[in-house]
Amino acid sequence: QVQLVESGGGLVQPGGSLRLSCAASGSIFSIYIMGWYRQAPGKQRELVATISSGGTTNYTDSVKGRFTISRDNAKNTVYLQMNSLKPEDTAVYYCNAGGIVSATMKRLKPDYWGHGTQVTVSS
């Protein structure tokens, strides 16, 4: 079993910054890809950013140049630094992890999700 716990959400003014963290726990040998998704009220969940174990990153166009995803493989933790926040960034942000191999070398289910952390950007 793998558990993902997000933290770092909160209320910020437009133009402000937040850093989200997500820690994966369990008997994990490796995680190939980790990422962040978000879901605003009345909208579908969308990809925000992903990062592979080798450091390859991917961002949705709306956050390029403002958000930075990073990870610490030793801690099985992924981060999302969010700068120049806009009201349209308001959403619940969810952590995702996929391509996980357990400590016993078992390939686990395709992906896991955290329960989300609220980000609200408002003046």
Side-chain angles (χ1 to χ4, degrees), residues 72-94:
D72 184 335
N73 290 335
K75 297 180 179 179
N76 287 323
T77 299
V78 63
Y79 307 93
L80 186 68
Q81 178 66 47
M82 304 185 293
N83 298 325
S84 302
L85 283 161
K86 304 174 181 179
E88 50 262 47
D89 295 317
T90 296
V92 177
Y93 283 70
Y94 296 92

Side-chain angles (χ1 to χ4, degrees), residues 47-58:
L47 171 72
V48 178
T50 62
I51 183 168
S52 73
S53 60
T56 301
T57 58
N58 179 51

Side-chain angles (χ1 to χ4, degrees), residues 2 6 11 39-40 49 51-52 65 76 80 85 88 98 100 102 105 116:
V2 173
E6 303 99 333
L11 173 65
Q39 187 167 19
I51 183 168
S52 73
N76 287 323
L80 186 68
L85 283 161
E88 50 262 47
I100 301 174
S102 75
M105 299 302 158

Side-chain angles (χ1 to χ4, degrees), residues 12-27:
V12 296
Q13 296 184 5
S17 298
L18 283 174
R19 191 178 82 146
L20 306 183
S21 299
C22 171
S25 62
S27 298

Side-chain angles (χ1 to χ4, degrees), residues 1 5 14 19 36 43 48 51 56 62 70:
Q1 294 183 341
V5 180
R19 191 178 82 146
W36 292 93
K43 297 183 178 180
V48 178
I51 183 168
T56 301
S62 63
S70 61

Side-chain angles (χ1 to χ4, degrees), residues 94-115:
Y94 296 92
C95 178
N96 175 268
I100 301 174
V101 177
S102 75
T104 58
M105 299 302 158
K106 176 184 176 182
R107 174 73 69 176
L108 301 180
K109 68 179 183 179
D111 61 354
Y112 292 81
W113 293 91
H115 292 298

